[in-house]
């Protein structure tokens, strides 16, 4: 399944919209469709500082 995501490649960098393949759910997992998701203050903080995050990173955990 093809998906789109906002990818952050380095602290303070601009977000890049990328497309990629989503693997099939494993046992005990489900797939949930999210049409849109906000980027919260926590995402902006770690995205700007690199604190507690590995790059590249997909922001927008609010849908979770």
């Amino acid at each position: 399944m093809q998906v789109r995501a906002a990818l952050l490649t380095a602290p303070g960098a601009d977000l890049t919209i990328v497309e990629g393949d989503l693997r099939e759910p494993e046992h005990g997992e489900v797939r949930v469709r999210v049409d849109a998701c906000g980027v919260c203050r926590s995402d902006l903080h770690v995205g700007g500082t690199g604190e507690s995050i590995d790059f590249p990173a997909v922001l927008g955990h609010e849908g979770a």
Side-chain angles (χ1 to χ4, degrees):
M1 168 182 226
Q2 285 285 302
V3 296
R4 291 187 322 160
L7 185 70
L8 186 63
T9 57
D14 290 336
L15 290 171
T16 304
I17 304 302
V18 297
E19 292 190 9
D21 293 316
L22 182 66
R23 67 170 173 74
E24 292 296 319
E26 296 179 7
H27 180 73
E29 297 179 331
V30 296
R31 183 181 317 168
V32 177
R33 180 180 174 149
V34 177
D35 288 320
C37 182
V39 176
C40 73
R41 183 69 187 124
S42 299
D43 283 336
L44 294 176
H45 173 75
V46 298
T49 65
E51 180 182 320
S52 303
I53 191 172
D54 294 325
F55 294 95
V58 175
L59 303 182
H61 68 273
E62 294 291 316

